[in-house]
Amino acid sequence: MWSNLPLFPARASTLAGHVDALYFLLVAVTAFFTILIAALILIFAIRFRKQKHPVAKQIHGSNALELTWTIIPLGISMIFFVWGAAIYFTETRPPKDSMEVYVVAKQWMWKFEHTEGQREIDELHVPEGRDVRLIMTSQDVIHSFFVPAFRVKADVLPGRYTSTWFHATKPGRYHLFCSQYCGTAHSSMVGWVVVMTPGAYQQWASTGTDGSLASTGEKYFQQYGCSTCHRSDSQGRGPNLVGIFGKPVLLDDGRTVVADESYIRESILNPEAKVVSGFKPIMPTFQGQIDEEGLVALVAYIKGLGNGMANPPMPVNNPEKAPYPVPPKPEASQATPSAK
Amino acid sequence: MASAAITQDEKTNYLNADYGIKSWLLTTDHKRIALLYLISITMFFFLGGFFAMLIRLELLTPAGDLVTSDTYNKLFTMHGIVMVFLFLIPAVPTVLGNFLVPMMIGAKDLAFPKLNLASWYVYMLGGGWVLYAIITGGVDTGWTFYTPYSTTFSNTNVVAAAVGIFIAGFSSIFTGINFIVTIHRMRAPGLTWRRLPLFIWSNYATSVIMVLGTPVLAITLLLVAAERLFHLGIFNAQLGGDPLLFQHLFWFYSHPAVYIMILPGMGVISEVVTCFSRKRVFGYDFVALASICIAVLGFLVWAHHMFVAGISVYAAMVFSLLTFFVAIPSAVKVFNWIATMYQGSISFETPMLYAFGFIGLFTMGGMTGLFLGSLGIDVHVHDTYFVVAHFHYVMVGGMVMAYMCGLHFWWPKITGKMYPEGWAKLSALLTFVGFNLTFFPQFILGYMGMPRRYHAYPPEFQVLNVLSTAGASVLAVGYVLPMIYFVWSLRYGQDAGPNPWRAAGLEWMTSSPPPTSNFETTPVVTWEAYNYDEIDKQQEVPVAS
Amino acid sequence: MPASHTAEHASHDLRHHFADMEQQKETATLGMWLFLVTEVMFFGGMFCAYLLYRLDYYTAWVAGSERMNIYLGTTNTAVLICSSLTMVLAVHFAKLGNRKATAIFLILTIVLGLGFLGIKAVEYHEHWVNHEVPGPNFHFEAPKPGASLQYSPKNVEIFFSLYFAMTGLHAIHMIIGVGLLTWLLVRNARGDFSPYYNSPVEMTGLYWHFVDVVWIYLFPLLYLIRHK
Amino acid sequence: MSEHAQPTVKSFFGIWLALLVLTAITTAASFLELGPFNAIVALFIATCKASLVVLFFMEARHLPKITKVVIITALFFLGILLTLTMTDFMTRLLGR
C-alpha cells in the first residue's frame, strides 16, 4: 500500500529548492507554535483544574507580555514576508536569454508553440538546464499553468499575455495541471512536461517542423500586407519594426512604453490605443482576422527582426510528415495555420 | 418548538408568552427571531453538508466515476455558496448574536426590531432563491463566480444564484446596522465600553465589516447578472474589460467576509474560556482592540487571493506585507486565551472542550494562513488542496467549533433545559477527531500539487483522499449527534435554572428562558467584565434571602 | 395644540424600548446614516470600475462623453438640486408641524423627481436611437484614420456599460425615493406627523439628499470629460 | 434637532443658490482646455457641492459624534477600495 503514497512533490527546478526551504521553515514554526499552544492548554488544564486549584487568581494582564507576543510574531512573520517576496521577485522576472515557448490555453487543452516551430498539445518538451520562459494567453476563460514539480504557477488570462519561467534540473515526466477553474473538463485539462537531456532534446527538436514560428510569422507578415507599411529598408507609412522589440517607444501622446509582447499584440488588435509618435493612426485593426496562434507567430517574427533572426527557420526536410508528434487526444480541428 | 413542560410555576417567558404561527412569523422579539434563524441556518448547514459528503464520496477514486464532471462542478459550487453565504456568514451573529446582544447590554430588544424581522425574511427570500437556483439545475461557476467564465461561458443559473446572494446580503446589512446602533445607544446604565462582554466587542467589529463590505459584493454580483442579462460589458474581456477587476471587487468583500465568520466565534470563546476558568480575561483591552484591528486590517489584504492571477509584482508585495499584519491580532487573541487559563480553576464541561478544540485548530488554521500570505509559497500552493485545508481549518475547525461551543454554552439560557453532558462530550471529541482526519491529509495533498475543484485526479493522490473521506464521515456523525440530543433535551432535558454555569454577564441574571422583555427592571452595572471572583465569593456565602 | 395633547400624542408613537423621543430620533438617524454608508460602498464599487477604465481607455471615455447631452445633464443636475431644496423645506415644515406646507413641498419634491426621471428617459431614448446601448444593438463608428481623437469602439462600449449601470441604478434609487415620498404624503395627509414625531420625513430627506450627492458626482464624471 | 439654532429658510435658499452656481461653473469649466486639471477642477467642485448638501441640507454639523465618525469611516473605506485597487493597475506597466 505504501508503494503508491508519495508525501512530497518531486523537485525538478531551481526554484523548487528555495520554495521547499521556506516551506520547511514555516512548517517548523507552525509545528512549534501549535505544539506550544496544545502543551500549554494541557498543562494548565491539568495543573489548574477545579479540584486541584479551586480558587482562581485574578490576573488583569500585563502590557509587557502583550507587547512581547505582538512584536515577536511580527518579527517572525517579517522573515516569511521578505524571504517569500525574494523568491516571488525572482520567479516573476524571467532571465533575458531564456528560451521562449508560446502557450495558448483553450477550454480544456494546452497548445505549445516552440520558436523553432514545433507545436505540441498537452505535452511540453523542454531541455534540462536551460531557462524556459512561457508567454501565455487564453482564448476563452482564465486558466492557470501549474507544474507542481517546478513549484511554478501563473494564471493565463484572455486578452493579455502573462508569462512565467522555470529552469528544469532533473529529466523526467512531470504533471501539468490547470489550477484555475475553467469549466466542465477543468480536471482533464492536464498534461505532461517532459524534461529531456540537452542531446535528447536536440534530437527531438529536429524531427521536422514546417518552419520556425518566426518564419510562419513572416508568412503572415506578407499575407496580411503588414510589409507594405512597415518596411524594413526605408521609412514607410508605419514605423520600421527592425530591432524594435524590447526598446522603449515614444507615443504620440507623450507616453513611452516598452515594446514587449503585450504592446505588439495590442498594436495588432487595437492599433489606435498606442500610436507611435510621428506616425498617423491609419493602421486598420486586425481583431477577429488573426487568431491567437497567428498573433503568437507575428510576435515571434517581429521579435526576431533586427537581431539577425535569432531563431533562423529550421530547414524543412519532410513537409508531408505530421507536424506534431502524435498528440494523445485527436484535436477536432487539426488546422495548423500553415499558409503553405 | 413545542413548549417545554416547565416544572416550576407556569412562569411566562418568551417561549410561552404567545402561541400560534402568527406569533412566530410576525414576532419582533429578538429572541424568537434568533430561534427562527437557528432553524433555517441548521437546515442550510445540513444541505451544505450533504453536498460536502457527495464531493468526498466522488473523491474516493481517482477517476471521476460517481457523478459526471458537470454535476461535480455544481456540487462544489453549491457547497461553497450554501455554506459561505447561508451558513458561515449569518450563523453566530444572527443566532447567538440576535439572542444575546440585547440581553448582554441590558436592553429590552434591538434598536430596530422590525428591521430585525425583515432581516430574517430577506435571508429566507435570498436562501429560497438560491434553493430555486439549485433545484432548477444549479450553478457551476464556483462560489467565487470568476469572470469571464461566469459572465459568458457558463450556461447555468448564474443570475438566479447571484440574485439570491444579493438578497441574502441585505440580511447581513440589516443585522449589522441593528447591532451597531444597539451597542452604541442602548447599553444599560453603568455599562461602559470597557465593561462590555467581549462577545459584544466581536459582534460590533463583525457588524462594522458587514455594513462596509457587503454592498461591494452586492454591486459586483449585480454587475455579473447585468452582464449576462443586458450585455453590460464591464468585465467582458472581448471588449477590453479586465477580468482582474471582478476579482478585486469580489475579494474586497469576500476576504473581510472570512473575518465576519471568525470574529463572532472568537467572542464566544472569550466568554467560554473565562467562565470555565473562573477568571477575568487576560488583557481585556488588547483582546477587544484586536477585534477592531482585525475588522479594519481585514479590508486591506484582499489581493492575497490573486498573487498568481496576474496582478503586478509591486501590488503583490504590498498585499503580502499587509496580510502578515492582519495575522498578528489573531495571534494576540490566542495568547490571551491561553494566559486566561493560567492560574484559573478550570472545569471541563462541553463548551470548554469545544473551546480547547477551537484554540488548537484555529492556531493551525491561522499559521497555515502565513504559508499562503508568503508570496514564494503561495505561487506553489495557490488553488490547491493546501488552500482548501487552510480555510476549512479556520472555518470548520474555528468558526463551526465556536458555534457549537456557543450553542452548548447558551442552550440552557435559550431553552431553560440542559443538554446531556455525556453525549455532548462524545460529539465534541468525534468532531475534533473527524475534522483532523478529514483536513490534515489535504495539507499534504496540497503541497504535492493536487489542484482544487478537480473531479478526477492522478492515482498517487488516492490514499490521502480516502483518509480524508473517512474523516468526513466521522465529522458528519459529530454534527448529527448534537442535532438529536438538542431536540431530545427540549422534552427530557434537566431544568437549567437561571445560571447553571455560574457565569458572569447580564444574560445570566434573568430567568431561563428569559421573559419577553428580558429583565423585570433594567439592570445597573457596577462591576467590571468577567468578575468571577465576586461571583464565586457570593456563591460560598449563601445570600440571606 | 394643548400641551397635554401633544405629550400624549407623542407617547403613543414612542417605541416601547426607548427612554424618550430624543433617543429614538438620534437612534433612527444613526441607523439611517449606517444605511447610507452601505449605499456609499454600493456605488463605490462602480466608481472603482470607472476609475480603472478611465485610466486605461481615456480616449474612449472622451469619445463616449462627447455623445452625452450636456444641456439635459446640466438641467437634470439643477432639477435635483431644486428637489433637495424642496425636500429640506418639507422636513423643516414637518418639524414645525405645518402639515399644509409639508404637503406642498413633498408634492414639489415628487414632481421634480419625476421630472428628473423624465429627462433621463429622454436621454436613454436618444442613446437607444444612436445605437449607443451596449449589446447587439450597439454600434459606434471607428475613428476616421486622420482624426486627433483615437479610440477603439469596443472600449467605448465599456464606457456606455458603466454609464447605464451607474445612471440606471441611480434612477432606480430615484424611483424608490419617489415611492417613499408618496408614502410620506399619505401619512402626512393622515396627520401622522407632529413636531414630536416626524423622523420618517427626516429619514427620507437624508436618503433623498444622498441620492442627490451621488448624482453630483455622476454628472461631472460621465458628462464633462473633454479631450486634452 | 436638539437645542442648537433651528436653520432658517433663508439659509436653505442660500445653499440652494450656491449649488446652482457651482453647477454652472463646473459645466462652464468643462469647455475650457485645462489638460489634466479638467478632472481635478470637476472633482473639486463636485466635492464642494457634496459637502454643502451633506453639511447643511443633511445637517451633518449637528449630528452626535458617533454619526460623524460613521460618515468619515465610509469615506475612509471607499478610499481604501480605490487606492489599493489602483496600486495593482497603476504599477502593472512598471512590473514587466
CSV table of all heavy atoms in Angstrom, one decimal, chain B residues 109-148:
chain,number,residue,atom,x,y,z
B,109,ASP,N,-34.6,45.1,23.8
B,109,ASP,CA,-34.6,44.5,22.4
B,109,ASP,C,-33.6,45.3,21.6
B,109,ASP,O,-32.9,46.2,22.1
B,109,ASP,CB,-36.0,44.6,21.8
B,109,ASP,CG,-36.2,43.5,20.7
B,109,ASP,OD1,-35.2,43.4,19.9
B,109,ASP,OD2,-37.2,42.8,20.7
B,110,LEU,N,-33.4,44.8,20.3
B,110,LEU,CA,-32.5,45.6,19.5
B,110,LEU,C,-33.1,46.9,19.1
B,110,LEU,O,-34.3,47.2,19.4
B,110,LEU,CB,-32.3,44.8,18.2
B,110,LEU,CG,-31.4,43.5,18.3
B,110,LEU,CD1,-31.4,42.7,17.0
B,110,LEU,CD2,-30.0,43.9,18.6
B,111,ALA,N,-32.3,47.8,18.5
B,111,ALA,CA,-32.7,49.2,18.3
B,111,ALA,C,-33.9,49.2,17.3
B,111,ALA,O,-34.9,49.9,17.4
B,111,ALA,CB,-31.6,50.0,17.7
B,112,PHE,N,-33.8,48.3,16.3
B,112,PHE,CA,-34.9,48.3,15.2
B,112,PHE,C,-35.5,46.9,15.1
B,112,PHE,O,-35.1,46.1,14.3
B,112,PHE,CB,-34.3,48.7,13.9
B,112,PHE,CG,-33.5,50.0,13.9
B,112,PHE,CD1,-32.1,50.0,13.7
B,112,PHE,CD2,-34.1,51.2,14.2
B,112,PHE,CE1,-31.4,51.1,13.7
B,112,PHE,CE2,-33.4,52.4,14.3
B,112,PHE,CZ,-32.0,52.3,14.0
B,113,PRO,N,-36.4,46.5,16.0
B,113,PRO,CA,-37.0,45.2,16.0
B,113,PRO,C,-37.6,44.8,14.7
B,113,PRO,O,-37.4,43.7,14.2
B,113,PRO,CB,-38.0,45.2,17.1
B,113,PRO,CG,-37.7,46.4,17.9
B,113,PRO,CD,-37.1,47.4,17.0
B,114,LYS,N,-38.3,45.7,14.0
B,114,LYS,CA,-39.0,45.3,12.8
B,114,LYS,C,-37.9,45.1,11.7
B,114,LYS,O,-38.0,44.1,10.9
B,114,LYS,CB,-39.9,46.5,12.3
B,114,LYS,CG,-41.2,46.5,13.1
B,114,LYS,CD,-42.3,47.2,12.2
B,114,LYS,CE,-43.3,48.0,13.1
B,114,LYS,NZ,-43.2,49.4,13.0
B,115,LEU,N,-36.8,45.9,11.7
B,115,LEU,CA,-35.7,45.6,10.8
B,115,LEU,C,-35.1,44.3,11.0
B,115,LEU,O,-34.7,43.6,10.1
B,115,LEU,CB,-34.7,46.7,11.0
B,115,LEU,CG,-33.5,46.7,9.9
B,115,LEU,CD1,-34.1,47.2,8.6
B,115,LEU,CD2,-32.4,47.7,10.4
B,116,ASN,N,-35.1,43.8,12.3
B,116,ASN,CA,-34.5,42.5,12.6
B,116,ASN,C,-35.4,41.4,12.0
B,116,ASN,O,-34.9,40.5,11.4
B,116,ASN,CB,-34.5,42.4,14.1
B,116,ASN,CG,-33.5,41.3,14.6
B,116,ASN,OD1,-32.7,40.9,13.8
B,116,ASN,ND2,-33.6,40.9,15.8
B,117,LEU,N,-36.7,41.6,12.1
B,117,LEU,CA,-37.6,40.5,11.5
B,117,LEU,C,-37.4,40.6,10.0
B,117,LEU,O,-37.3,39.6,9.3
B,117,LEU,CB,-39.1,40.8,11.9
B,117,LEU,CG,-40.0,39.8,11.3
B,117,LEU,CD1,-39.7,38.4,11.8
B,117,LEU,CD2,-41.5,40.2,11.6
B,118,ALA,N,-37.3,41.8,9.4
B,118,ALA,CA,-37.1,42.0,8.0
B,118,ALA,C,-35.9,41.2,7.5
B,118,ALA,O,-35.8,40.6,6.5
B,118,ALA,CB,-37.0,43.5,7.6
B,119,SER,N,-34.8,41.3,8.4
B,119,SER,CA,-33.6,40.7,8.0
B,119,SER,C,-33.7,39.2,7.9
B,119,SER,O,-33.2,38.5,7.0
B,119,SER,CB,-32.5,41.0,9.0
B,119,SER,OG,-32.3,39.9,9.9
B,120,TRP,N,-34.6,38.6,8.8
B,120,TRP,CA,-34.9,37.1,8.6
B,120,TRP,C,-35.6,36.8,7.4
B,120,TRP,O,-35.3,35.9,6.6
B,120,TRP,CB,-35.6,36.6,9.8
B,120,TRP,CG,-35.8,35.1,9.8
B,120,TRP,CD1,-34.8,34.1,9.9
B,120,TRP,CD2,-37.0,34.4,9.4
B,120,TRP,NE1,-35.3,32.9,9.7
B,120,TRP,CE2,-36.7,33.0,9.4
B,120,TRP,CE3,-38.3,34.7,9.2
B,120,TRP,CZ2,-37.6,32.0,9.2
B,120,TRP,CZ3,-39.3,33.7,8.9
B,120,TRP,CH2,-38.9,32.4,8.9
B,121,TYR,N,-36.6,37.6,7.0
B,121,TYR,CA,-37.4,37.4,5.8
B,121,TYR,C,-36.5,37.5,4.6
B,121,TYR,O,-36.6,36.8,3.6
B,121,TYR,CB,-38.6,38.3,5.8
B,121,TYR,CG,-39.8,37.8,6.5
B,121,TYR,CD1,-40.1,38.2,7.8
B,121,TYR,CD2,-40.6,36.7,6.0
B,121,TYR,CE1,-41.2,37.6,8.5
B,121,TYR,CE2,-41.6,36.2,6.7
B,121,TYR,CZ,-41.9,36.6,8.0
B,121,TYR,OH,-42.9,36.0,8.7
B,122,VAL,N,-35.7,38.6,4.6
B,122,VAL,CA,-34.8,38.8,3.5
B,122,VAL,C,-33.8,37.6,3.3
B,122,VAL,O,-33.5,37.1,2.2
B,122,VAL,CB,-34.0,40.1,3.7
B,122,VAL,CG1,-32.7,40.2,2.9
B,122,VAL,CG2,-34.9,41.3,3.4
B,123,TYR,N,-33.4,37.1,4.5
B,123,TYR,CA,-32.5,35.9,4.5
B,123,TYR,C,-33.2,34.7,3.9
B,123,TYR,O,-32.7,34.0,3.0
B,123,TYR,CB,-32.0,35.6,5.9
B,123,TYR,CG,-31.3,34.3,6.1
B,123,TYR,CD1,-30.0,34.2,5.7
B,123,TYR,CD2,-31.9,33.2,6.6
B,123,TYR,CE1,-29.3,33.0,5.8
B,123,TYR,CE2,-31.2,31.9,6.7
B,123,TYR,CZ,-29.9,31.9,6.3
B,123,TYR,OH,-29.2,30.7,6.4
B,124,MET,N,-34.5,34.5,4.3
B,124,MET,CA,-35.2,33.3,3.7
B,124,MET,C,-35.5,33.5,2.3
B,124,MET,O,-35.4,32.6,1.5
B,124,MET,CB,-36.5,33.2,4.5
B,124,MET,CG,-36.3,32.7,5.9
B,124,MET,SD,-35.2,31.2,6.0
B,124,MET,CE,-36.3,29.9,5.5
B,125,LEU,N,-35.8,34.8,1.9
B,125,LEU,CA,-36.0,35.0,0.4
B,125,LEU,C,-34.8,34.8,-0.4
B,125,LEU,O,-34.8,34.0,-1.4
B,125,LEU,CB,-36.5,36.5,0.3
B,125,LEU,CG,-36.8,36.9,-1.2
B,125,LEU,CD1,-38.1,36.2,-1.7
B,125,LEU,CD2,-37.1,38.4,-1.3
B,126,GLY,N,-33.7,35.3,0.1
B,126,GLY,CA,-32.4,35.0,-0.6
B,126,GLY,C,-32.1,33.5,-0.6
B,126,GLY,O,-31.7,33.0,-1.7
B,127,GLY,N,-32.2,32.9,0.6
B,127,GLY,CA,-32.0,31.4,0.6
B,127,GLY,C,-32.9,30.7,-0.3
B,127,GLY,O,-32.5,29.8,-1.0
B,128,GLY,N,-34.1,31.1,-0.3
B,128,GLY,CA,-35.1,30.4,-1.2
B,128,GLY,C,-34.7,30.6,-2.7
B,128,GLY,O,-34.8,29.6,-3.5
B,129,TRP,N,-34.3,31.8,-3.0
B,129,TRP,CA,-33.8,32.0,-4.4
B,129,TRP,C,-32.6,31.1,-4.7
B,129,TRP,O,-32.6,30.5,-5.8
B,129,TRP,CB,-33.4,33.5,-4.5
B,129,TRP,CG,-33.7,34.0,-5.9
B,129,TRP,CD1,-33.1,33.7,-7.0
B,129,TRP,CD2,-34.7,35.1,-6.2
B,129,TRP,NE1,-33.6,34.4,-8.1
B,129,TRP,CE2,-34.5,35.3,-7.6
B,129,TRP,CE3,-35.6,35.8,-5.5
B,129,TRP,CZ2,-35.3,36.2,-8.3
B,129,TRP,CZ3,-36.3,36.7,-6.1
B,129,TRP,CH2,-36.2,36.9,-7.5
B,130,VAL,N,-31.7,31.0,-3.8
B,130,VAL,CA,-30.6,30.1,-4.1
B,130,VAL,C,-31.1,28.6,-4.2
B,130,VAL,O,-30.7,27.9,-5.1
B,130,VAL,CB,-29.5,30.2,-2.9
B,130,VAL,CG1,-28.5,29.1,-3.0
B,130,VAL,CG2,-28.8,31.6,-3.0
B,131,LEU,N,-32.0,28.3,-3.3
B,131,LEU,CA,-32.6,26.9,-3.4
B,131,LEU,C,-33.2,26.7,-4.8
B,131,LEU,O,-33.0,25.7,-5.5
B,131,LEU,CB,-33.7,26.7,-2.3
B,131,LEU,CG,-33.1,26.2,-1.0
B,131,LEU,CD1,-34.3,26.0,0.0
B,131,LEU,CD2,-32.4,24.9,-1.2
B,132,TYR,N,-34.0,27.7,-5.3
B,132,TYR,CA,-34.6,27.7,-6.6
B,132,TYR,C,-33.5,27.4,-7.7
B,132,TYR,O,-33.6,26.6,-8.6
B,132,TYR,CB,-35.3,29.0,-6.9
B,132,TYR,CG,-35.6,29.3,-8.4
B,132,TYR,CD1,-36.5,28.6,-9.1
B,132,TYR,CD2,-34.8,30.2,-9.1
B,132,TYR,CE1,-36.7,28.8,-10.5
B,132,TYR,CE2,-34.9,30.4,-10.4
B,132,TYR,CZ,-35.9,29.7,-11.1
B,132,TYR,OH,-36.1,30.0,-12.5
B,133,ALA,N,-32.3,28.2,-7.5
B,133,ALA,CA,-31.2,28.0,-8.5
B,133,ALA,C,-30.7,26.6,-8.4
B,133,ALA,O,-30.4,26.0,-9.4
B,133,ALA,CB,-30.1,29.0,-8.1
B,134,ILE,N,-30.7,26.0,-7.2
B,134,ILE,CA,-30.1,24.6,-7.1
B,134,ILE,C,-31.1,23.7,-7.7
B,134,ILE,O,-30.7,22.8,-8.6
B,134,ILE,CB,-30.0,24.3,-5.6
B,134,ILE,CG1,-28.9,25.1,-4.9
B,134,ILE,CG2,-29.6,22.8,-5.4
B,134,ILE,CD1,-28.8,25.0,-3.4
B,135,ILE,N,-32.4,23.8,-7.4
B,135,ILE,CA,-33.3,22.8,-7.9
B,135,ILE,C,-33.5,22.8,-9.4
B,135,ILE,O,-33.5,21.8,-10.0
B,135,ILE,CB,-34.7,23.0,-7.2
B,135,ILE,CG1,-34.6,22.7,-5.7
B,135,ILE,CG2,-35.8,22.2,-7.8
B,135,ILE,CD1,-35.6,23.4,-4.8
B,136,THR,N,-33.4,24.0,-9.9
B,136,THR,CA,-33.6,24.1,-11.4
B,136,THR,C,-32.3,24.0,-12.2
B,136,THR,O,-32.1,24.6,-13.2
B,136,THR,CB,-34.3,25.4,-11.8
B,136,THR,OG1,-33.4,26.5,-11.3
B,136,THR,CG2,-35.6,25.6,-11.2
B,137,GLY,N,-31.3,23.3,-11.6
B,137,GLY,CA,-30.1,23.0,-12.4
B,137,GLY,C,-28.8,23.4,-11.8
B,137,GLY,O,-27.8,23.0,-12.3
B,138,GLY,N,-28.8,24.2,-10.8
B,138,GLY,CA,-27.6,24.5,-10.1
B,138,GLY,C,-26.7,25.5,-10.8
B,138,GLY,O,-27.0,25.9,-12.0
B,139,VAL,N,-25.6,25.8,-10.2
B,139,VAL,CA,-24.6,26.8,-10.8
B,139,VAL,C,-23.3,26.1,-10.8
B,139,VAL,O,-23.0,25.3,-9.9
B,139,VAL,CB,-24.4,28.1,-10.0
B,139,VAL,CG1,-23.8,29.1,-10.7
B,139,VAL,CG2,-25.8,28.5,-9.4
B,140,ASP,N,-22.5,26.3,-11.9
B,140,ASP,CA,-21.2,25.6,-11.9
B,140,ASP,C,-20.0,26.5,-12.0
B,140,ASP,O,-19.0,26.2,-12.7
B,140,ASP,CB,-21.2,24.6,-13.1
B,140,ASP,CG,-21.1,25.3,-14.4
B,140,ASP,OD1,-21.3,26.6,-14.4
B,140,ASP,OD2,-20.8,24.7,-15.4
B,141,THR,N,-20.1,27.7,-11.4
B,141,THR,CA,-19.0,28.7,-11.6
B,141,THR,C,-18.1,28.7,-10.4
B,141,THR,O,-17.2,29.5,-10.3
B,141,THR,CB,-19.6,30.1,-11.7
B,141,THR,OG1,-20.3,30.3,-10.4
B,141,THR,CG2,-20.6,30.2,-12.8
B,142,GLY,N,-18.3,27.8,-9.4
B,142,GLY,CA,-17.5,28.0,-8.1
B,142,GLY,C,-18.2,29.1,-7.3
B,142,GLY,O,-18.7,30.1,-7.9
B,143,TRP,N,-18.0,29.1,-6.0
B,143,TRP,CA,-18.7,30.2,-5.2
B,143,TRP,C,-18.1,31.5,-5.5
B,143,TRP,O,-18.6,32.6,-5.0
B,143,TRP,CB,-18.7,29.8,-3.7
B,143,TRP,CG,-17.4,30.1,-3.0
B,143,TRP,CD1,-16.3,29.3,-3.0
B,143,TRP,CD2,-17.0,31.2,-2.2
B,143,TRP,NE1,-15.3,29.9,-2.3
B,143,TRP,CE2,-15.7,31.0,-1.8
B,143,TRP,CE3,-17.7,32.4,-1.9
B,143,TRP,CZ2,-15.0,32.0,-1.0
B,143,TRP,CZ3,-17.0,33.3,-1.1
B,143,TRP,CH2,-15.7,33.1,-0.7
B,144,THR,N,-17.0,31.5,-6.2
B,144,THR,CA,-16.3,32.8,-6.5
B,144,THR,C,-16.7,33.5,-7.7
B,144,THR,O,-16.4,34.7,-8.0
B,144,THR,CB,-14.8,32.5,-6.6
B,144,THR,OG1,-14.6,31.4,-7.4
B,144,THR,CG2,-14.1,32.3,-5.2
B,145,PHE,N,-17.5,32.8,-8.6
B,145,PHE,CA,-18.1,33.5,-9.8
B,145,PHE,C,-17.1,34.2,-10.7
B,145,PHE,O,-17.4,35.2,-11.2
B,145,PHE,CB,-19.2,34.5,-9.3
B,145,PHE,CG,-20.4,33.9,-8.7
B,145,PHE,CD1,-20.5,33.9,-7.3
B,145,PHE,CD2,-21.4,33.4,-9.5
B,145,PHE,CE1,-21.6,33.3,-6.7
B,145,PHE,CE2,-22.6,32.9,-8.9
B,145,PHE,CZ,-22.7,32.8,-7.5
B,146,TYR,N,-15.9,33.6,-10.8
B,146,TYR,CA,-14.9,34.4,-11.6
B,146,TYR,C,-15.4,34.6,-13.0
B,146,TYR,O,-16.0,33.7,-13.7
B,146,TYR,CB,-13.6,33.6,-11.6
B,146,TYR,CG,-12.6,33.9,-10.5
B,146,TYR,CD1,-13.1,34.5,-9.4
B,146,TYR,CD2,-11.3,33.5,-10.5
B,146,TYR,CE1,-12.3,34.8,-8.3
B,146,TYR,CE2,-10.4,33.8,-9.5
B,146,TYR,CZ,-10.9,34.4,-8.4
B,146,TYR,OH,-10.1,34.7,-7.3
B,147,THR,N,-15.2,35.8,-13.5
B,147,THR,CA,-15.5,36.1,-14.9
B,147,THR,C,-14.2,35.7,-15.7
B,147,THR,O,-13.1,35.7,-15.1
B,147,THR,CB,-15.7,37.6,-15.1
B,147,THR,OG1,-14.5,38.3,-14.8
B,147,THR,CG2,-16.8,38.1,-14.2
B,148,PRO,N,-14.1,35.6,-17.0
B,148,PRO,CA,-15.3,35.6,-17.9
B,148,PRO,C,-16.1,34.3,-17.9
B,148,PRO,O,-17.1,34.2,-18.6
B,148,PRO,CB,-14.6,35.9,-19.2
B,148,PRO,CG,-13.2,35.4,-19.1
B,148,PRO,CD,-12.8,35.4,-17.7
